[in-house]
Amino acid sequence: MSTRVQILVRGVVQGVGFRPYIFSLARRRDLRGHVFNNASGVLIDVEGETNAVEQFIQEIKFNPPPLSQIESVERRDILALANHSEFRIGESESAGRKSVPITADVGVCADCLRELFDPRDRRFRYPFINCVSCGPRFTIIEDVPYDRAKTTMREFTMCAACRAEYENPDDRRFHAEPTACATCGPRLYLTDESGRELENGDNAIGHAQGLLLSGKILAIKGVGGFHLACDATNAGAVRRLRQSKYREDKPFALMADSIEMVEGHCSVSAFERDLLLSTRRPIALLARKPDSAVSNLPLAVAPGLNSLGFMLPYAPLHYLLLDGLNRPLVMTSGNVSDEPICYEDRDALERLDKIADFFLLHDRRIHVRVDDSVVRARENREIILRRSRGYAPRALKISFKFARVILACGAELKNTFCLTRGDHAFISHHIGDLENLETFRSFEQGVEHFKRLFNLNPEVVVHDLHPAYISTQYAMTLAGASVKVGVQHHHAHIASCMADNGIEGEVIGVAMDGLGYGTDGRLWGGEFFVAGLARADRVTHLEYTPMPGGTKAIREPWRMGAIHLRRALGDEIFDRNLDFVKRLDRRAWATLSRMAERGVNSPETSSMGRLFDAVASLIGVHDVACYEGQAAIELEMVADESQDDSYEFDYSGVIIKPSPVICDIVTDLVRRVPAPVIAAKFHNAVAGLILEVARRIRAERGLDRVALSGGVFQNLLLLNRTIRLLEAADFEVFTHSRVPTNDGGISLGQAVVADALIKSGEGRS
Ligand code: ZN
Ligand code: ZN
Ligand code: FE
């Protein structure tokens, strides 16, 4: 008996070899019909022997191509047979609603890697080899549906050999949209800093390797933008790169040719190994091997840190570049200081010419700038610190359906934005710190690109409450969307954590971060809430402390150290025998403390991040930070994990006073207690405080679920201690894993809060 069915497969099904897969599946079962991409997914019209059709459907459901993510398989039985004579792959349909998930960029697959180093293969050493299972995707796609004509690869006409593969259903490059070879595809070339071509093709790679080995700095065009590269074992080159990039202390990302090479420098768990080897190819932060004799890396790659950020090659070009070098490369983002990374050749030649000695370029255009992603493992869970290449624009599935199409504009630092439809949140790649025009342009272009790719027209726009945020101002000036919703920063953090975990209802929300605008106009950051998606009631918070000099205090933790010290001890601070006080510039401090007293340029903050800064400075870890959060990160590194002693906050009243902690730290400092012990006791005090407050809220409100969010929880020592204490007291603890706990997760939180407000009818403003 014959049957005919139409099958619509939704999910991540385009650009992952779905049509060729369906084709071979149908042919094997002697089925006839066709398959094509349409705007909703992949549509299959198939007929043949009834049993074979049923098996065919089961196979699609349970054994799909590796890169696909099926969300639904809808079938419709059709009575009339079409009497197709064969099975074929149809052209894509461009009409209709565009809602096809676009896949992220995929690291080079094992098959392509084998061909890359196979002298008999026609793509031997071709730096742009790819196939249906690997290669660039999001970074080259200009529009949907995903077809070569809608990518930057349309500029290259396939040669006869490539076309034959592309059209051959038995070939693994059947409908591989970015396919190319040395004859027809993108070409690689090496230039000097003025853009003059020196070598091309394989010669360019050989020459580039020689330059790297001789200590030169190269700007290398990759998948989502430029890297600045140098020999990671060459201390002089690393130092020069650091100086010319105006990046004094921030750790550099490294690229190794293999897991074994990474293991030469870091201890790598099985889970971390999987992260490194995943097709997403993130930068993974790994514990540096304590025996530094094992590692020949200069300290300058990651000053002051006992971890290193490693990634494995993801573009074929990277494999060729590392081949035979026998050492890791620094592969840091191709930008100057805090600007966004370069992704266009001309721009790179202009902006990076003071840094790079040579440029390794190619003529495949990058349509969207996408940074490397950064992850860390906590036990066997992935913690995403920067969600970008390899992850974005994959949509996150949420546990409920959004009522409207929402655009959430995110925060200021580590910005991402988020668009919604149905039960999906489309969270953007990492945009960066919205502090300059170039980043803002990236943000704007990103929003337009996502709207087009996913065919989303926002009905609601959500923004932070901070009036000075560029993302807030963007939302305010946006015409068209009728509803605008402001969401408090820390409420967004907690809601983001809830959505990350798929929970609803009320929780104890603990938001600890750098700074976020509060509903009272002050800068919050050490907050406890009873929170749901629609509202957050602030239960308690760290006592307000002035930030002498405003945002300057972020880069100069000593200012917070001094103000906390004075709060705790008054003018007595000069009587104590403290190194911190000896280092203090008394004249500068006299001015600042007068400013703080009068409230001049000294906004008040309840930030836990700033308290970490204060402690780091008091114990001599860092008086001046080179990047936001540096003092807090290094405080974690310093802490002696075996230490279980703790200080104690004063939470006898309505708010939390840190002064007893500061006083005890001073006592310890005077007694010459080592910094690692003090740092550990401080971490334990914060974890203990969270437990104490959670207990009180549980006693009053009967809540026993705790959501932890905010940048401070990037500190794994604090996170681990807090979770351990809370779980031992029978709390259920929720933390982030799909979006960052830092401000990169804010856009998701904004979206779910706005949705909850709309559903409860309070969203109009
Ligand atoms: Zn491949
Ligand atoms: Zn070709
Ligand atoms: Fe934050």
Side-chain angles (χ1 to χ4, degrees):
M1 210 181 90
S2 277
T3 308
R4 178 182 174 199
V5 291
Q6 276 185 357
I7 305 158
L8 177 62
V9 188
R10 293 182 199 265
V12 179
V13 289
Q14 293 189 12
V16 292
F18 214 88
R19 286 177 300 165
Y21 156 82
I22 292 294
F23 180 89
S24 68
L25 217 61
R27 271 211 328 190
R28 248 186 285 143
R29 294 197 161 68
D30 206 21
L31 303 176
R32 298 166 306 281
H34 54 249
V35 55
F36 55 87
N37 287 340
N38 74 4
S40 308
V42 165
L43 188 67
I44 306 157
D45 190 326
V46 69
E47 64 190 35
E49 206 265 315
T50 307
N51 258 336
V53 169
E54 296 305 328
Q55 284 167 7
F56 172 77
I57 296 171
Q58 291 306 307
E59 187 84 3
I60 297 172
K61 282 186 183 163
F62 297 110
N63 199 15
L67 292 180
S68 65
Q69 269 189 311
I70 293 185
E71 269 159 23
S72 68
V73 178
E74 292 160 35
R75 84 178 263 172
R76 196 156 63 100
D77 290 80
I78 297 180
L79 290 178
L81 293 181
N83 292 315
H84 292 290
S85 57
E86 51 165 20
F87 196 92
R88 58 179 190 82
I89 293 187
E91 291 298 308
S92 296
E93 237 182 24
S94 58
R97 207 169 62 96
K98 294 192 277 183
S99 70
V100 179
I102 305 289
T103 70
D105 303 287
V106 186
V108 59
C109 73
D111 288 334
C112 286
L113 194 56
R114 201 172 10 79
E115 290 177 4
L116 183 66
F117 289 106
D118 178 357
R120 290 159 307 174
D121 193 273
R122 70 183 193 88
R123 289 188 182 82
F124 177 54
R125 297 188 65 82
Y126 180 58
F128 306 98
I129 187 171
N130 65 71
C131 73
V132 104
S133 307
C134 75
R137 298 288 189 274
F138 178 55
T139 51
I140 61 164
I141 294 174
E142 295 171 327
D143 205 349
V144 282
Y146 174 55
D147 259 339
R148 187 181 180 96
K150 302 240 165 85
T151 72
T152 61
M153 280 301 293
R154 69 189 147 83
E155 291 151 30
F156 302 92
T157 309
M158 275 184 245
C159 68
C162 283
R163 176 148 299 276
E165 292 166 343
Y166 182 85
E167 288 171 354
N168 174 9
D170 287 329
D171 195 280
R172 60 185 201 85
R173 292 198 173 81
F174 183 51
H175 280 265
E177 307 301 344
T179 190
C181 73
T183 312
C184 65
R187 62 186 268 286
L188 183 77
Y189 43 97
L190 180 77
T191 79
D192 62 15
E193 58 196 7
S194 70
R196 191 170 54 94
E197 185 170 325
L198 305 172
E199 301 275 4
N200 64 59
D202 217 22
N203 290 338
I205 292 168
H207 200 123
Q209 286 187 316
L211 291 168
L212 288 165
L213 288 177
S214 68
K216 298 291 186 216
I217 295 169
L218 267 67
I220 299 171
K221 186 177 180 182
V223 173
F226 277 77
H227 283 118
L228 285 161
C230 72
D231 174 358
T233 64
N234 183 329
V238 173
R239 214 174 317 115
R240 197 158 62 86
L241 177 54
R242 205 165 264 299
Q243 281 159 2
S244 52
K245 228 184 127 165
Y246 300 110
R247 179 157 163 161
E248 283 159 33
D249 276 354
K250 214 168 174 177
F252 280 150
L254 303 166
M255 188 180 273
D257 67 3
S258 63
I259 281 283
E260 291 69 32
M261 186 183 278
V262 179
E263 283 170 340
H265 305 280
C266 297
S267 38
V268 184
S269 71
F271 183 76
E272 288 165 337
R273 189 189 165 92
D274 289 347
L275 284 180
L276 284 165
L277 285 166
S278 76
T279 58
R280 306 183 296 275
R281 291 288 155 103
I283 298 169
L285 302 187
L286 305 163
R288 197 167 184 165
K289 279 191 173 161
D291 178 8
S292 58
V294 183
S295 165
N296 54 348
L297 296 180
L299 278 174
V301 296
L305 300 184
N306 50 17
S307 67
L308 292 172
F310 261 110
M311 62 183 147
L312 293 177
Y314 50 90
L317 172 61
H318 299 151
Y319 275 102
L320 295 170
L321 210 54
L322 281 154
D323 183 38
L325 280 189
N326 215 10
R327 68 198 66 205
L329 294 176
V330 165
M331 289 285 264
T332 184
S333 43
N335 57 359
V336 185
S337 192
D338 294 330
E339 292 175 6
I341 55 165
C342 298
Y343 70 111
E344 290 164 324
D345 301 2
R346 222 189 31 205
D347 181 43
L349 285 163
E350 278 169 20
R351 280 163 64 201
L352 303 180
D353 77 324
K354 297 271 184 306
I355 307 176
D357 304 309
F358 296 90
F359 288 76
L360 193 55
L361 305 173
H362 59 74
D363 56 0
R364 185 177 71 200
R365 263 192 313 115
I366 298 170
H367 184 64
V368 187
R369 158 185 15 231
V370 182
D371 292 74
D372 293 322
S373 295
V374 183
V375 305
R376 203 172 175 184
R378 194 184 87 81
E379 285 153 11
N380 283 345
R381 216 165 163 218
E382 182 176 19
I383 292 184
I384 303 179
L385 301 175
R386 187 204 284 158
R387 187 179 178 276
S388 211
R389 180 191 45 76
Y391 293 77
R394 177 172 289 188
L396 244 57
K397 204 151 154 67
I398 303 300
S399 59
F400 55 84
K401 275 192 160 53
F402 288 97
R404 305 276 183 81
V405 174
I406 297 172
L407 166 63
C409 298
E412 176 101 324
L413 299 178
K414 300 184 170 74
N415 177 277
T416 63
F417 58 83
C418 172
L419 283 149
T420 69
R421 176 176 46 228
D423 53 1
H424 281 119
F426 300 87
I427 300 169
S428 76
H429 49 297
H430 167 81
I431 302 291
D433 298 347
L434 283 179
E435 293 176 322
N436 54 53
L437 190 62
E438 184 66 16
T439 321
F440 176 60
R441 214 172 280 140
S442 232
F443 171 87
E444 255 186 330
Q445 286 166 355
V447 171
E448 291 311 311
H449 193 48
F450 265 65
K451 279 161 63 177
R452 192 167 49 245
L453 287 189
F454 302 110
N455 192 30
L456 294 165
N457 209 350
E459 301 157 279
V460 178
V461 179
V462 199
H463 55 83
D464 195 273
L465 297 183
H466 202 309
Y469 277 8
I470 290 180
S471 55
T472 305
Q473 289 167 0
Y474 168 85
M476 291 305 182
T477 53
L478 212 56
S482 52
V483 185
K484 287 178 186 162
V485 182
V487 174
Q488 200 278 323
H489 187 95
H490 302 97
H491 184 197
H493 268 305
I494 300 303
S496 172
C497 181
M498 293 174 71
D500 197 332
N501 289 282
I503 59 170
E504 291 172 57
E506 275 192 334
V507 299
I508 300 169
V510 183
M512 310 255 145
D513 68 353
L515 299 169
Y517 200 80
T519 51
D520 59 0
R522 285 165 163 147
L523 297 170
W524 295 5
E527 316 300 315
F528 292 85
F529 300 95
V530 166
L533 295 180
R535 60 179 292 168
D537 298 321
R538 195 181 187 207
V539 177
T540 184
H541 58 88
L542 274 187
E543 184 181 31
Y544 285 125
T545 310
M547 277 187 359
T551 50
K552 260 208 158 150
I554 298 172
R555 292 277 165 137
E556 298 184 14
W558 70 267
R559 292 171 184 244
M560 295 312 295
I563 199 88
H564 275 287
L565 197 59
R566 212 197 49 166
R567 276 247 161 144
L569 300 178
D571 285 331
E572 247 187 87
I573 68 170
F574 294 109
D575 308 337
R576 303 287 174 113
N577 180 26
L578 290 177
D579 291 341
F580 175 82
V581 174
K582 287 179 199 150
R583 291 197 308 271
L584 203 60
D585 175 343
R586 293 200 185 197
R587 292 232 332 251
W589 172 240
T591 316
L592 279 177
S593 71
R594 235 174 296 123
M595 272 168 66
E597 259 164 41
R598 297 193 199 129
V600 179
N601 193 19
S602 300
E604 299 210 294
T605 183
S606 54
S607 162
M608 181 59 85
R610 295 289 86 81
L611 183 62
F612 265 85
D613 282 355
V615 172
S617 174
L618 285 176
I619 68 174
V621 168
H622 246 287
D623 288 337
V624 177
C626 297
Y627 55 95
E628 212 259 344
Q630 182 185 11
I633 288 167
E634 293 188 2
L635 195 63
E636 176 190 358
M637 297 294 161
V638 166
D640 169 9
E641 293 195 27
S642 65
Q643 185 59 241
D644 283 327
D645 272 5
S646 179
Y647 303 118
E648 228 173 293
F649 285 86
D650 172 6
Y651 182 41
S652 53
V654 182
I655 54 161
I656 301 152
K657 294 186 175 162
S659 46
V661 172
I662 303 292
C663 285
D664 289 348
I665 288 176
V666 169
T667 308
D668 277 352
L669 284 171
V670 172
R671 279 196 211 132
R672 297 283 158 194
V673 173
V677 175
I678 300 179
K681 286 168 81 176
F682 176 68
H683 280 82
N684 295 339
V686 177
L689 170 71
I690 294 170
L691 174 65
E692 188 188 347
V693 178
R695 274 196 165 131
R696 209 193 278 185
I697 296 175
R698 176 164 64 187
E700 284 164 14
R701 306 287 295 262
L703 299 171
D704 56 10
R705 295 185 303 171
V706 183
L708 305 175
S709 189
V712 166
F713 290 110
Q714 292 173 113
N715 181 321
L716 273 198
L717 177 61
L718 175 68
L719 186 65
N720 287 333
R721 297 262 147 132
T722 306
I723 293 172
R724 206 171 59 197
L725 288 183
L726 287 169
E727 287 183 344
D730 287 327
F731 284 99
E732 197 181 351
V733 187
F734 297 91
T735 60
H736 285 275
S737 65
R738 298 193 293 168
V739 296
T741 192
N742 60 43
D743 285 3
I746 285 286
S747 60
L748 173 65
Q750 290 176 338
V752 296
V753 171
D755 179 70
L757 288 173
I758 290 161
K759 285 172 181 160
S760 65
E762 299 169 20
R764 269 148 236 284
S765 62

